[in-house]
Amino acid sequence: MSDSPLTSPFIPNTDDDRAVMLAEVGTSAVEDLFGDIPEQYRHPGLALPAPIPEMELRAEMTALAQRNFHAGEHPSFLGAGVYHHFCPAVVAPLVTRGEFLTSYTPYQPEVSQGTLQGTFEFQTLTAQLFGMEVSNAGMYDGASSLAEGALMACRVTKHSRVAVLDTVNPRYVETIRFYAQPQGIEVYQTSPTSPELQPDTACLISQYPNFFGAFEDSQALVDLAHEHGALAVMSCDPTALAMYKPPGAFGADIATGEGQALGIPPSFGGPYVGIFTCRQEYVRQLPGRIAGRTVDTEGRTGYVLTLQPREQHIRREHATSNICTSTALIGLWATIYLSLMGKQGLRHVAELCHQKAHYAASRIAELPGYSLPNDDPFFQEFVVACPKSPAEVSAALQQRGIVGGLDVSDRYPNGMLLCVTEVNTRDQIDRLVDALAEIGR
């Protein structure tokens, strides 16, 4: 085996094998394949430690894992797009059954009936939850769903500008800009209090509730978009929709969301599942794919891919999506969670989030030095103006075994965005309040 740091010892190629392959591409050394990468950006190699027994390795990895500070072991009040909700114990064993865990994209209905049915149920439940006519099989995450919604609005209206409220998740806005730039689409932001739409605007994008946890006048925003010949696109928290008016009731044209809130444990970077819904009349411009239910020649129920709009399935010039992977496994997780919780269970979760968040906010507002700078109605998140910088407050909370909120000082001076869900007990909230009081002295 070669001693080159760029040669993986895990690929069973002999020196002769490598020499033949290198000669075929016109070079004599593996290093030459990386010539286009500046040397300062090349990794010198993996300095792996000497091998140790598995038992010792497990102990070492466990010790490393215990250094993490996360919501699973500590009271957490961090949200901002990723939420810690309770998930019934039965969900994980069902989702991780081999039939689901090892499945890939369901191209062949004759061997993928279970996967296709799971996708069909996911579409049905999310369409009902969002109050929309059509839902697809899922996108990468909430950010890409919203970006795809912006592109879809441009296709429908033939316009090339996208208006985004400045209260939408900043990471979502970045994703929209990233998707729009190669298409020559202009993305501009406007205020929810006095929104202004430019000519040739394809859609007005809002978040419900917004990034700071508050509700805006969604009906007025939808009406404004339609008055200007634009589509109304909303990014929604699915948990909130169990308790609040869904986007379909406002007349939204496209509604997206992040499915992680539906019982999926928070994790660093996902994977998550994006929810994408729209009105029936725009289904031909829908990105992703749609699973449908039909009957075979003997009248038996069967599931198929009804709509396949990406370039691998249809002529490239007619494709509306290049989504290559359906996050069907995470969609199945959300589907099983929703089916177990049911309408009443999910509404109860939403009510608990609302009640506990308002209890926390009312107590924090009474603390000397703290205030709530935003008096708009909110669901489970709210901004707190702190007497010290959010970085100082978060560090002090961590020393007390509490995960604090997100620093939003760029919007609110010394602002910290806190989130309270049904998993936060009254004792945890009181601990947070007492800790904030002590930190503010």
Side-chain angles (χ1 to χ4, degrees), residues 39 66 74 87 91 116 125 143 160 186 220 242-243 258 305 366-367 404:
E39 288 191 16
Q66 289 174 344
H74 300 277
C87 183
V91 176
L116 286 166
L125 291 170
S160 58
E186 177 189 343
M243 173 176 175
E258 172 56 70
L305 279 181
E366 296 172 351
L367 298 177

Side-chain angles (χ1 to χ4, degrees), residues 209-408:
N210 67 27
F211 180 65
F212 304 101
F215 288 100
E216 294 156 351
D217 190 345
S218 294
Q219 190 62 67
L221 294 170
V222 169
D223 293 343
L224 176 69
H226 291 163
E227 289 169 6
H228 286 76
L231 301 188
V233 180
M234 297 175 65
S235 176
C236 306
D237 180 343
T239 304
L241 300 184
M243 173 176 175
Y244 291 93
K245 194 174 178 180
F250 293 112
D253 301 288
I254 300 170
T256 68
E258 172 56 70
Q260 180 275 328
L262 301 175
I264 300 164
S267 57
F268 186 77
Y272 299 138
V273 58
I275 298 170
F276 194 106
T277 67
C278 70
R279 295 168 61 179
Q280 176 71 39
E281 63 186 284
Y282 303 133
V283 68
R284 289 292 178 181
Q285 293 297 331
L286 190 79
R289 50 178 71 86
I290 291 180
R293 185 169 61 193
T294 184
V295 293
D296 64 13
T297 56
E298 298 181 6
R300 296 174 300 185
T301 298
Y303 296 89
V304 297
L305 279 181
T306 301
L307 186 67
Q308 305 174 71
R310 72 186 181 112
E311 70 279 357
Q312 182 174 337
H313 299 122
I314 61 178
R315 290 184 180 179
R316 183 170 297 177
E317 63 270 20
H318 298 301
T320 59
S321 170
N322 66 352
I323 291 287
C324 296
T325 302
S326 170
T327 50
L329 188 68
I330 310 303
L332 179 65
W333 188 296
T335 302
I336 295 175
Y337 169 84
L338 284 171
S339 65
L340 287 170
M341 300 300 290
K343 291 182 180 179
Q344 298 305 317
L346 193 63
R347 180 178 177 87
H348 185 52
V349 168
E351 290 171 345
L352 287 174
C353 293
H354 180 271
Q355 293 162 5
K356 292 184 177 187
H358 282 73
Y359 169 72
S362 64
R363 288 217 55 199
I364 294 172
E366 296 172 351
L367 298 177
Y370 293 87
S371 63
L372 305 182
N374 191 344
D375 59 2
D376 290 332
F378 66 92
F379 173 48
Q380 64 183 0
E381 291 179 277
F382 55 94
V383 177
V384 174
C386 305
K388 300 178 180 179
S389 73
E392 291 180 85
V393 174
S394 290
L397 286 173
Q398 185 169 334
Q399 291 176 352
R400 292 163 173 80
I402 299 172
V403 180
L406 182 73
D407 186 345
V408 290

Side-chain angles (χ1 to χ4, degrees), residues 119-188:
T119 298
F120 179 82
E121 302 299 348
F122 171 79
Q123 295 167 182
T124 302
L125 291 170
T126 51
Q128 291 176 344
L129 187 59
F130 279 62
M132 301 293 286
E133 295 171 330
V134 178
S135 178
N136 74 6
M139 313 294 278
Y140 292 133
D141 55 17
S144 60
S145 289
L146 189 57
E148 288 280 4
L151 297 187
M152 177 175 164
C154 291
R155 293 194 299 270
V156 169
T157 62
K158 311 298 184 184
H159 293 163
S160 58
R161 286 195 176 106
V162 170
V164 186
L165 294 187
D166 60 14
T167 50
V168 171
N169 187 323
R171 304 289 82 79
Y172 285 20
V173 177
E174 287 182 4
T175 305
I176 294 169
R177 293 187 186 279
F178 181 81
Y179 273 56
Q181 190 272 334
Q183 309 275 351
I185 296 170
E186 177 189 343
V187 179
Y188 67 93

Side-chain angles (χ1 to χ4, degrees), residues 3-85:
D3 293 328
S4 169
L6 297 176
T7 302
S8 170
F10 302 107
I11 299 177
N13 295 321
T14 66
D15 288 339
D16 289 342
D17 292 334
R18 282 190 289 275
V20 170
M21 289 187 286
L22 290 169
E24 184 68 24
V25 297
T27 186
S28 60
V30 173
E31 288 80 2
D32 295 340
L33 301 177
F34 299 87
D36 292 335
I37 302 175
E39 288 191 16
Q40 64 267 33
Y41 298 115
R42 300 182 200 172
H43 197 288
L46 295 176
L48 296 176
I52 58 176
E54 181 182 351
M55 192 164 60
E56 293 180 26
L57 178 61
R58 285 178 177 270
E60 183 174 326
M61 298 302 291
T62 300
L64 285 172
Q66 289 174 344
R67 292 166 58 183
N68 291 327
F69 194 79
H70 58 85
E73 295 182 354
H74 300 277
S76 174
F77 298 92
L78 180 63
V82 179
Y83 303 102
H84 187 201
H85 290 289

